[in-house]
Amino acid sequence: QIQLIQSGGGSVQAGGSLRLSCTVDGRTITARTMAWFRQIPAKEREFVAQNNWRGGRTSYAEFVKGRFTISRDSAKNTVYLDMSSLQPEDTAVYYCAAASPWAEAGSRRDEYKDWGQGTQVTVST
């Protein structure tokens, strides 16, 4: 069964940077669209960034454009989220997600089949 194992996260001061990693165990991510979502208490899980399997195209939520970068290393079955210029509003639990192989997936939660365990990112002033 597919497993998404997240690492990274933690606490950082406003303006700082963090890298989140998500490694898919026992599966290749080559044909899977990968994404990052985040969830703040009392809010629903929201889309952050996507890395499409087809051509490596990326898309981002408007509130992270220019600050966050999603990338993948297919040889390591790992997807990354590089976050810079972090602000307190970015504080959330961040989740890695994988769509089914060759599936088209966008920004909706129900388009992703498998999820990581989540990792806390806390940005302080």
Side-chain angles (χ1 to χ4, degrees):
Q1 187 170 348
I2 187 172
Q3 297 181 51
L4 278 63
I5 304 171
Q6 297 182 219
S7 62
S11 298
V12 66
Q13 296 181 43
S17 301
L18 285 173
R19 164 173 269 201
L20 305 183
S21 298
C22 174
T23 297
V24 179
D25 185 48
R27 297 287 191 278
T28 177
I29 64 171
T30 302
R32 299 177 186 267
T33 291
M34 305 293 294
W36 291 93
F37 289 74
R38 70 186 187 187
Q39 189 164 17
I40 300 170
K43 291 186 176 181
E44 67 180 25
R45 197 167 298 182
E46 64 182 358
F47 171 77
V48 174
Q50 177 216 58
N51 182 259
N52 196 282
W53 72 270
R54 185 168 55 195
R57 302 189 313 276
T58 60
S59 62
Y60 297 90
E62 192 66 32
F63 53 81
V64 303
K65 284 184 177 179
R67 300 190 298 122
F68 291 10
T69 301
I70 185 172
S71 62
R72 69 170 67 197
D73 186 337
S74 294
K76 297 180 179 180
N77 285 336
T78 299
V79 63
Y80 304 97
L81 185 68
D82 289 295
M83 304 179 291
S84 63
S85 301
L86 284 162
Q87 300 299 312
E89 309 90 85
D90 297 314
T91 295
V93 177
Y94 284 72
Y95 294 89
C96 178
S100 296
W102 310 291
E104 293 294 327
S107 61
R108 288 170 17 207
R109 291 171 291 166
D110 61 5
E111 295 177 305
Y112 296 88
K113 181 180 180 180
D114 299 288
W115 295 81
Q117 78 277 16
T119 184
Q120 177 72 43
V121 172
T122 301
V123 184
S124 61
T125 58

